[in-house]
Amino acid sequence: AGKVVNPKVTAALQDAMALQEELAKGIERFFQFSLYITLSSDTLQDLEETSKQLTTTLSSMLLSAKAATLQMEEGYKTTLPIGQDRLFLTRNMDTTSLASTFPFTSATLTQNKGILYGVNQENGSLIIFDRFSMENANEVVFGKSGSGKSFFIKLESMRQFMFGAEIIIIDPENEYELLANTLGGEHVVFSPSSKVKINPFDLSGLYEEGENELGVKILSLHALLKIMMGAMNPQLDAILDRALVETYQQKGITPDPKTQTKQPPIMEDLYKTLLAMQNAEAQELALRLERYVKGSLSGFFNQQSNFNIESPFTVFSIRNLEEELRATAMHIILDFVWTRIKKSLKKRILIVDEAWYMMKYQDSASFIYSIAKRARKYYLGLTTATQDVEDFLKGEYGKPVLTNSSIQILLKQSPSEIDTVSQVFYLSEGERELLLSASPGEGVFFAGQNHVAIQVLAAPFENDIITSNPEEIQKIQATNKAVAEAAAKAKEAKEHPAPPPPPTMTLPPTTQSKDSPPDFYERSNNIVKSV
């Protein structure tokens, strides 16, 4: 008729035609959907207040709420678990639209083996899972400060330890000392003044088919030395590689596995090799290395290893190190642990707390990624935890480490990082809101393709060991002090008992004689009492 077509009608028609085609192909299904909410309260005033809060919340989500006026009984029966709709207020929805009303795709996540991770917030079921039953046993934990990240890791490590796993932890903030001491483990303080020394040039001495361990070790030393000495151009990198090969050859160690059981070199041997090269580039590298050999950090890296992992629960604490040395120390400890892990096949979990220290450097991040890829081969589960999600993911190896982890734990996130997390994990709107408003210990548990809302719960005796809440720690310390004082008093009383009270004299009851004066027995009793 020559009239201008209404664009709203055109858009609606296109949507209808697209939906019709998807329904015909079976891509989409058609549903009649109803959403009812029943509120209950002890008082009318509280009920009205709760109704207003609910209406406000729904309005913020562009949902219009209507009270079932004069149909309260039908509405109540509709929300009972009997599956009967007595209000009949339905909306026509396709599969995609209906799926958006379910914020969590998995109702239960329970296996018949494994450890208890927490409780499903949606239906109260237990989340029991065995991380070693997945394609790999790796795990990542993301959460802002105060979200319960360390609490979760301590709880999991304690429960895995109870089920026979060997636990190795790299602890930047000395949070795991009490846990290690309680479980009879070993707490190793890693610092320049510590008696424990680790030589980064160590070799396992084990031959594996198709693997050149010396070549792998030299690549690992390249990554470590770049963190220690700074960036290098290709010429410096080539000279360093030649110096590392010569340093091992001077100790009689070659790619031949038979020679790799000899005592390895130390950092000073590499320093001397660089000085002996007598060219400007090698002298520059020697000067960069000098502070670790003869300078203020000479006792830190320049000795043979005198420590071996023998305890089933070992914690390496690096809190006493300066900030700039923590990435270096974590790399050395990881390389040392990895060398020891390859010597024997055993169920182990390696925990790297505050992993962003290593993810800042490309070479150390690459080392973490190589462990994540090869961990399953040695029956190892790698746990990486961080509160700086963006620093972890923005690097070249952050996402590969994440994708090589079958289990991911998301705890409370900050508003500045929720967009990054939502994009990486494809979070629904409900999961996003949960992570923004979660309490400590609440979050989303991902296991493969399934994920549920989790609440981490610990028994009272577990909580006393692993809590990092200052208020709870103060109460526990006060209780322990009172118990210790009571025990000391009991011991003192046992060793030095109080003297017994003096004996008392009493006269046997007698019958007053008729010939005695009336007050004779009364006066005699008074005398006994005074005695």
Side-chain angles (χ1 to χ4, degrees):
K3 296 180 180 180
V4 178
V5 179
N6 188 337
K8 293 184 180 180
V9 176
T10 304
L13 178 61
Q14 291 175 352
D15 290 343
M17 296 296 292
L19 178 59
Q20 183 184 37
E21 182 178 356
E22 290 176 345
L23 288 171
K25 292 180 178 180
I27 299 175
E28 293 281 349
R29 298 295 179 92
F30 195 71
F31 298 91
Q32 288 186 321
F33 173 70
S34 302
L35 175 62
Y36 307 115
I37 300 175
T38 295
L39 297 177
S40 60
S41 180
D42 294 333
T43 64
L44 179 60
Q45 181 181 359
D46 186 55
L47 182 64
E48 292 176 348
E49 182 65 27
T50 308
S51 299
K52 291 178 182 178
Q53 292 178 4
L54 176 62
T55 302
T56 303
T57 302
L58 294 175
S59 298
S60 67
M61 300 169 64
L62 303 180
L63 293 177
S64 177
K66 294 183 179 180
T69 307
L70 302 180
Q71 289 184 294
M72 287 78 78
E73 182 182 353
E74 289 81 1
Y76 174 71
K77 291 180 179 179
T78 298
T79 55
L80 290 176
I82 57 177
Q84 294 182 2
D85 185 356
R86 302 195 179 192
L87 289 177
F88 305 108
L89 299 175
T90 60
R91 296 279 181 176
N92 297 329
M93 301 182 76
D94 61 321
T95 307
T96 303
S97 302
L98 184 63
S100 65
T101 66
F102 292 88
F104 304 102
T105 58
S106 179
T108 59
L109 193 58
T110 303
Q111 292 184 334
N112 58 359
K113 60 179 180 178
I115 67 166
L116 174 66
Y117 281 89
V119 176
N120 189 334
Q121 294 190 68
E122 293 299 299
N123 54 23
S125 62
L126 301 180
I127 300 176
I128 300 174
F129 211 78
D130 179 17
R131 60 191 290 180
F132 289 92
S133 67
M134 305 290 288
E135 61 269 16
N136 63 67
N138 299 332
E139 175 184 282
V140 294
V141 183
F142 292 154
K144 64 178 292 188
S145 178
S147 63
K149 172 171 54 66
S150 297
F151 186 91
F152 171 83
I153 295 174
K154 292 176 190 176
L155 186 63
E156 182 194 8
S157 61
M158 181 163 55
R159 291 174 177 173
Q160 293 283 8
F161 175 74
M162 292 169 64
F163 277 81
E166 182 178 313
I167 309 297
I168 303 170
I169 303 174
I170 300 179
D171 179 14
E173 301 297 337
N174 204 28
E175 294 183 273
Y176 298 83
E177 181 178 4
L178 176 60
L179 180 60
N181 294 336
T182 303
L183 298 179
E186 189 166 9
H187 184 257
V188 182
V189 178
F190 201 60
S191 66
S193 60
S194 173
K195 295 181 181 179
V196 174
K197 303 299 179 184
I198 294 178
N199 181 13
F201 289 79
D202 281 345
L203 294 166
S204 69
L206 298 175
Y207 174 70
E208 292 187 33
E209 187 69 30
E211 181 176 306
N212 178 10
E213 187 184 4
L214 180 61
V216 174
K217 172 59 71 172
I218 289 177
L219 289 175
S220 174
L221 288 170
H222 267 284
L224 171 64
L225 292 169
K226 285 179 181 178
I227 298 173
M228 295 168 60
M229 299 192 295
M232 301 181 192
N233 57 37
Q235 187 175 5
L236 292 176
D237 203 18
I239 292 174
L240 178 61
D241 187 75
R242 191 189 326 151
L244 286 169
V245 173
E246 289 183 12
T247 301
Y248 275 103
Q249 286 178 347
Q250 290 171 5
K251 295 292 184 179
I253 300 175
T254 66
D256 184 1
K258 296 179 181 179
T259 66
Q260 294 174 7
T261 57
K262 297 180 180 180
Q263 186 180 61
I266 58 176
M267 195 68 70
E268 187 175 358
D269 296 323
L270 174 62
Y271 174 73
K272 291 178 179 178
T273 302
L274 289 170
L275 288 177
M277 287 184 170
Q278 296 183 350
N279 59 59
E281 291 80 6
Q283 299 300 313
E284 179 186 346
L285 290 175
L287 285 175
R288 293 191 192 184
L289 195 62
E290 187 169 328
R291 65 183 296 221
Y292 300 100
V293 177
K294 296 184 176 181
S296 58
L297 302 176
S298 58
F300 193 49
F301 308 106
N302 194 32
Q303 296 186 34
Q304 294 289 351
S305 298
N306 60 0
F307 174 77
N308 196 14
I309 301 175
E310 297 177 351
S311 172
F313 197 103
T314 307
V315 176
F316 293 92
S317 175
I318 60 174
R319 187 182 66 171
N320 296 336
L321 296 179
E322 297 177 2
E323 193 80 13
E324 61 176 312
L325 291 177
R326 291 193 174 186
T328 304
M330 291 174 78
H331 194 288
I332 291 175
I333 295 171
L334 272 176
D335 187 58
F336 171 78
V337 170
W338 182 245
T339 302
R340 296 302 185 273
I341 284 173
K342 293 164 65 176
K343 289 187 176 182
S344 61
L345 192 64
K346 190 186 297 183
K347 185 178 180 181
R348 294 183 177 96
I349 292 178
L350 173 61
I351 299 172
V352 184
D353 203 352
E354 300 300 346
W356 63 272
Y357 280 114
M358 297 196 67
M359 303 307 290
K360 289 192 300 183
Y361 303 95
Q362 183 175 358
D363 296 285
S364 57
S366 173
F367 185 57
I368 286 276
Y369 174 55
S370 67
I371 293 178
K373 282 199 308 181
R374 304 168 63 195
R376 180 176 176 82
K377 180 180 178 182
Y378 298 99
Y379 206 12
L380 173 71
L382 174 66
T383 297
T384 49
T386 183
Q387 61 183 8
D388 295 315
V389 180
E390 289 199 11
D391 288 344
F392 187 92
L393 295 177
K394 70 182 180 182
E396 181 181 352
Y397 295 97
K399 287 187 178 179
V401 170
L402 178 63
T403 55
N404 276 273
S405 301
S406 296
I407 296 179
Q408 298 107 24
I409 313 295
L410 298 182
L411 301 173
K412 185 181 177 84
Q413 302 293 320
S414 64
S416 61
E417 295 182 332
I418 190 64
D419 290 335
T420 302
V421 174
S422 299
Q423 183 178 4
V424 171
F425 289 90
Y426 303 100
L427 299 180
S428 67
E429 190 64 29
E431 292 167 335
R432 178 189 172 100
E433 294 298 324
L434 170 66
L435 294 179
L436 285 174
S437 60
S439 300
E442 295 180 353
V444 183
F445 181 93
F446 289 79
Q449 300 298 319
N450 300 317
H451 51 281
V452 296
I454 186 175
Q455 181 179 8
V456 181
L457 297 176
F461 75 92
E462 292 175 319
N463 184 79
D464 291 347
I465 299 171
I466 65 179
T467 183
S468 55
N469 186 328
E471 185 177 353
E472 292 183 359
I473 292 175
Q474 192 176 26
K475 290 181 180 178
I476 294 170
Q477 289 175 347
T479 303
N480 292 340
K481 183 179 179 181
V483 171
E485 290 176 353
K489 289 181 180 179
K491 183 179 179 181
E492 179 71 18
K494 185 177 180 180
E495 293 177 352
H496 306 285
T504 59
M505 295 177 59
T506 58
L507 291 175
T510 59
T511 306
Q512 186 173 352
S513 172
K514 295 180 181 179
D515 300 330
S516 302
D519 59 345
F520 173 77
Y521 289 105
E522 183 178 352
R523 285 188 292 109
S524 62
N525 281 333
N526 289 336
I527 293 172
V528 172
K529 289 178 182 176
S530 65
V531 172

